[in-house]
Amino acid sequence: MKKIEVREISATDNAWDELAASSRQNCLFASRKFLDVWAGEDPSWHLLKLGCYDEANRLVCGQAIIHRKLMGMRVQNTLSIFYAGTPILAGGIAENSTEQYEILSALARESRKRFPYLRIEFHPHLTDARAYLDNGWEAAPQYTHTWNLHNLNA
């Protein structure tokens, strides 16, 4: 088993953009630019980016969570945006692999420590929630169909 360290990613760290660019879960809502604008809409909102680092100190997974601090607790923003808070994995992590499970397990444990309640909508390219379920999370599956709009004339 690889050792995974979970820690906050600083606002100025370019590693987040590199991770998002290489990830199958990449979408507009995971971009640093979008997250900064969204979090900046209200001065009471804070952006927490958690990063999972492997033994070589490479960022292999991350999760961005917009939240407020109320009575000493972090409370997630209730605005529902597609794939809000989804974990994003580096492109080199094999889908549904042991490595993915270990990384997501570490992230699930750490985010659970930091938030009394957290709603995560997984990106459609993240199909295995066992790492979260095995760490005490509950799941309410909802399915999305994706349409290929790259060639509308086909």
Side-chain angles (χ1 to χ4, degrees):
M1 180 195 293
K2 291 184 178 180
K3 182 180 180 303
I4 301 296
E5 178 187 3
V6 182
R7 62 181 187 259
E8 287 188 42
I9 302 171
S10 76
T12 59
D13 191 339
N14 290 329
W16 178 267
D17 291 330
E18 294 166 12
L19 172 68
S22 76
S23 176
R24 290 183 305 277
Q25 295 81 37
N26 185 17
C27 66
L28 166 71
F29 308 117
S31 72
R32 180 170 56 173
K33 188 173 185 177
F34 178 84
L35 291 167
D36 289 344
V37 168
W38 185 18
E41 286 295 310
D42 184 323
S44 69
W45 291 352
H46 304 276
L47 173 59
L48 172 68
K49 288 189 278 189
L50 292 175
C52 297
Y53 294 84
D54 67 10
E55 294 166 331
N57 202 34
R58 290 180 302 229
L59 181 61
V60 293
C61 181
Q63 182 178 25
I65 305 163
I66 305 245
H67 65 283
R68 289 188 163 105
K69 294 178 182 175
L70 298 172
M71 300 186 305
M73 292 188 306
R74 291 179 168 148
V75 178
Q76 183 183 24
N77 179 334
T78 57
L79 177 62
S80 182
I81 297 246
F82 291 117
Y83 323 127
T86 190
I88 56 175
L89 290 154
I93 307 300
E95 192 171 349
N96 301 330
S97 65
T98 301
E99 182 180 25
Q100 175 182 306
Y101 178 87
E102 291 172 2
I103 293 166
L104 291 178
S105 290
L107 184 60
R109 286 189 298 273
E110 186 63 29
S111 55
R112 190 172 179 93
K113 287 180 198 174
R114 294 174 184 249
F115 290 88
Y117 171 82
L118 190 60
R119 179 183 179 272
I120 302 171
E121 184 175 338
F122 277 19
H123 188 280
H125 290 274
L126 189 57
T127 59
D128 188 355
R130 286 178 296 171
Y132 283 81
L133 295 171
D134 292 348
N135 282 285
W137 289 69
E138 295 178 18
Q142 297 176 350
Y143 298 93
T144 301
H145 180 77
T146 56
W147 296 86
N148 183 350
L149 299 177
H150 292 288
N151 186 0
L152 296 176
N153 296 323

